[in-house]
């Protein structure tokens, strides 16, 4: 299944682009599910549907989203229901540990009194990513489009499974679990479940779940679409997001330049905004293309409502009147007024996602074979006496980059993002002799340690 994660700068129109992407995929005959974690009603207003219906009594092994609503042939939409999912998870956890709770004299919590804790939204979203992959063949979806949080939160969320797995390995290493074979015997003698046994069983289950989610994130079939409203302030945020996604090995499929204003207008106010956007758009092309396509979406002059049907291209309101009648005040008044203008009915018809689906395009097909691993070690022992570890970090700059060698790991920090990388086996017998950032690649030089490096006989 193709998975497309749609994120970007705050307020750039991520939900709109996610919905348009899902519609474009459905139009190509792909069974598509659009998932959103947004709880403020924006997706429902955008798609023209009612509030998604959740399933009472949802449990931990049920899907963590509402009943999908069919919007068009091949297109369904659902919302991640964090509260219901959290109640089901915690209730199931209490059921599994009822023996220990009885031993401690604890009173279990009722489902009705449980409220989702801060941060649970991220866990529910990751669980949804995993759950969508487990549908039986022929009954699931071909494409999953996920309306993600803003880019910094998305990068942190995608890094979470690997980080949590690392914490589990440090806190409960496998070699300390060797004595588990004795615990069932001890439990029978004591007559109660041993807490350590339950703890290790829970840790093993978490490890399996986290590994599965990490597999989805790192899959070649999972890509990211970055949405940005071009402008000087958005450029820096997009660079940081690009570096963070690259640090965690997430592949960006496309950059969507959203809400582009028309060019060539005589209105000085609109012309200044459009010119600023065009300068930022040029920077986008220079930074991303041709390796990553940049797709342009026009400003519709209003928020899209419902799916709608594609409309013929029509002039922007600022281009529809004689230049002498245009001014900043007139343009602002026209945008805010609900009064119809002569001959203006067709132009003011509600715009739907169909106007954007063609421009945003459907996600590409899943690659037939895995892409080569870019995190490779280059042997330069003969020429320079070093091994070179090349890590792709487009968008990173030297000011926000730091490296720390700690044992057999390299800790890389890029702006607010952080990752602990295990060193390849050859590099563990080396010392770090330098590093440099050039053309979007971090190149770390390793010199063999004479005391550890194999010696020729």
């Amino acid at each position: 299944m193709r998975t497309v994660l749609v994120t970007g700068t705050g307020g750039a129109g991520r939900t709109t682009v996610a919905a348009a992407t899902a519609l474009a995929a459905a139009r190509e005959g792909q069974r598509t599910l659009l998932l959103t974690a947004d709880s403020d009603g924006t997706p429902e207003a955008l798609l023209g549907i009612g509030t998604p219906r959740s399933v009472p009594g949802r449990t931990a092994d049920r899907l963590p989203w509402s009943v999908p609503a069919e919007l068009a042939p091949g297109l369904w939409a659902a919302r991640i229901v964090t509260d219901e999912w959290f109640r089901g998870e915690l209730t199931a956890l209490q059921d599994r540990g009822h023996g220990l709770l009885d031993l401690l004299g604890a009173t279990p919590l009722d489902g009705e009194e449980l409220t989702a804790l801060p941060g649970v939204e991220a866990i529910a979203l990751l669980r949804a990513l995993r759950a969508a992959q487990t549908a039986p063949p022929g009954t699931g979806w071909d494409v999953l489009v996920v309306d993600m949080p803003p880019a910094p939160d998305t990068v942190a969320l995608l890094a979470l499974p690997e980080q949590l797995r690392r914490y589990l390995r440090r806190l409960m290493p496998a070699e300390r679990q060797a004595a588990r074979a004795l615990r069932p015997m001890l439990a029978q003698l004591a007559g109660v479940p041993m807490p350590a046994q339950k703890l290790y069983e829970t840790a093993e289950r978490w490890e399996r779940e986290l590994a599965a989610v990490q597999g989805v994130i790192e899959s070649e079939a999972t890509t990211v679409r970055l949405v940005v409203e071009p402008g000087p302030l958005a450029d820096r945020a997009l660079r940081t997001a690009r570096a963070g996604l690259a640090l965690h090995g997430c592949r960006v499929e496309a950059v969507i330049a959203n809400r582009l204003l028309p060019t060539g207008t005589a209105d000085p106010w609109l012309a200044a905004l459009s010119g600023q956007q065009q300068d930022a758009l040029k920077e986008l092309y220079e930074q991303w293309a041709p390796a990553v396509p940049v797709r342009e979406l026009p400003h519709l002059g209003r928020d899209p409502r419902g799916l709608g049907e594609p409309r013929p291209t029509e002039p922007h309101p600022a281009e529809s009147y004689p230049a002498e009648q245009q001014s900043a005040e007139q343009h602002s008044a026209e945008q805010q007024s609900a009064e119809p203008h002569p001959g203006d009915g067709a132009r003011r018809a509600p715009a739907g996602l169909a106007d954007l689906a063609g421009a945003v395009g459907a996600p590409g097909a899943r690659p037939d074979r895995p892409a080569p691993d870019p995190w490779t070690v280059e042997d330069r022992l003969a020429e320079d006496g070093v091994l070179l570890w090349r890590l792709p970090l487009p968008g990173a700059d030297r000011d926000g980059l730091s490296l720390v060698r700690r044992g057999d790991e390299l800790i890389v920090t890029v702006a607010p993002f952080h990752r602990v990388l295990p060193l390849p086996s050859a590099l563990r017998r080396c010392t770090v002799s330098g590093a440099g950032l050039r053309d979007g690649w971090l190149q770390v030089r390793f010199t063999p340690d004479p005391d550890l490096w194999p010696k020729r006989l």
Side-chain angles (χ1 to χ4, degrees):
M1 184 177 69
R2 284 284 284 110
T3 301
V4 183
L5 311 178
V6 182
T7 183
T9 55
R14 302 184 310 277
T15 301
T16 300
V17 172
T21 299
L23 179 58
R27 286 178 167 177
E28 291 193 351
Q30 308 277 350
R31 288 173 53 87
T32 305
L33 175 64
L34 171 64
L35 273 184
T36 178
D38 200 331
S39 59
D40 63 0
T42 299
E44 289 79 21
L46 177 68
L47 298 169
I49 60 176
T51 302
R53 179 171 58 88
S54 60
V55 177
R58 187 179 297 273
T59 57
D61 56 353
R62 298 290 297 272
L63 298 179
W65 56 68
S66 61
V67 177
E70 187 171 6
L71 308 182
L75 175 60
W76 288 262
R79 174 190 284 168
I80 297 172
V81 283
T82 303
D83 287 343
E84 291 88 339
W85 177 81
F86 176 75
R87 283 194 287 268
E89 279 283 309
L90 195 53
T91 300
L93 182 62
Q94 288 185 146
D95 293 341
R96 287 195 296 269
H98 68 89
L100 177 60
L101 293 176
D102 291 343
L103 176 66
L104 298 175
T107 302
L109 296 169
D110 294 329
E112 293 75 12
E113 63 181 310
L114 296 176
T115 303
L117 301 175
V120 174
E121 295 86 354
I123 304 298
L125 198 155
L126 290 173
R127 180 68 179 87
L129 284 178
R130 168 59 179 160
Q133 314 287 325
T134 58
T139 62
W141 291 274
D142 304 312
V143 178
L144 173 67
V145 180
V146 187
D147 176 21
M148 301 289 288
D153 298 332
T154 291
V155 176
L157 188 150
L158 297 179
L160 189 58
E162 182 182 70
Q163 292 171 345
L164 292 179
R165 293 182 70 195
R166 182 172 176 273
Y167 297 160
L168 281 175
R169 288 193 296 268
R170 291 291 300 275
L171 296 174
M172 304 183 69
E175 57 269 18
R176 293 186 183 179
Q177 301 181 32
R180 283 182 301 166
L182 299 176
R183 294 194 182 102
M185 182 187 305
L186 296 176
Q188 290 180 0
L189 293 175
V192 296
M194 299 298 291
Q197 178 184 358
K198 292 293 184 182
L199 183 62
Y200 279 113
E201 290 175 354
T202 301
E204 287 180 346
R205 183 171 61 87
W206 286 351
E207 164 65 23
R208 290 194 300 269
E209 287 292 330
L210 291 169
V213 175
Q214 186 177 347
V216 174
I217 294 172
E218 296 177 349
S219 169
E220 286 292 321
T222 300
T223 56
V224 177
R225 288 192 169 189
L226 278 175
V227 186
V228 61
E229 186 172 347
L233 298 180
D235 178 69
R236 177 69 182 178
L238 201 64
R239 285 174 178 265
T240 304
R242 183 182 191 184
L245 290 169
L247 177 64
H248 293 285
C250 300
R251 183 165 61 94
V252 178
E253 178 192 23
V255 175
I256 312 298
N258 195 22
R259 299 181 183 140
L260 293 178
L261 298 169
T263 59
T265 176
D267 184 344
W269 179 81
L270 184 60
L273 289 178
S274 176
Q276 180 176 275
Q277 275 193 341
Q278 291 301 313
D279 291 341
L281 185 62
K282 181 180 178 182
E283 291 290 332
L284 280 180
Y285 276 99
E286 292 175 353
Q287 294 170 21
W288 293 88
V292 177
V294 178
R295 295 173 182 165
E296 303 178 21
L297 294 185
H299 200 305
L300 299 177
R302 62 194 67 79
D303 292 332
R305 288 291 185 271
L307 301 183
E309 292 296 332
R311 301 174 304 154
T313 303
E314 295 162 354
H316 190 277
E319 299 176 303
S320 303
Y321 296 95
E324 59 270 14
Q325 296 180 8
Q326 296 180 11
S327 66
E329 294 79 6
Q330 288 172 332
H331 175 75
S332 177
E334 180 180 339
Q335 294 288 6
Q336 297 176 13
S337 174
E339 295 296 327
H341 292 259
D344 204 25
R347 186 175 64 244
R348 289 183 172 274
L353 292 173
D355 297 293
L356 302 176
V360 77
R366 175 175 177 165
D368 294 331
R369 63 186 65 181
D373 183 10
W375 301 59
T376 55
V377 178
E378 185 177 343
D379 187 347
R380 291 191 179 180
L381 291 176
E383 301 87 350
D384 305 317
V386 299
L387 296 174
L388 192 66
W389 199 18
R390 303 179 74 245
L391 314 177
L393 289 179
D397 57 51
R398 290 179 176 84
D399 293 337
L401 180 64
S402 70
L403 301 174
V404 176
R405 167 77 182 270
R406 190 181 71 92
D408 292 338
E409 297 173 329
L410 185 68
I411 304 173
V412 184
T413 300
V414 181
F417 309 119
H418 184 82
R419 188 177 186 186
V420 180
L421 297 170
L423 292 175
S425 58
L427 301 184
R428 297 174 187 174
R429 300 188 294 271
C430 301
T431 58
V432 177
S433 55
L437 183 65
R438 179 178 300 175
D439 299 328
W441 287 85
L442 173 63
Q443 304 182 69
V444 187
R445 298 184 297 277
F446 289 81
T447 302
D449 186 335
D451 296 331
L452 300 176
W453 196 255
K455 297 179 176 61
R456 293 185 178 181
L457 299 178

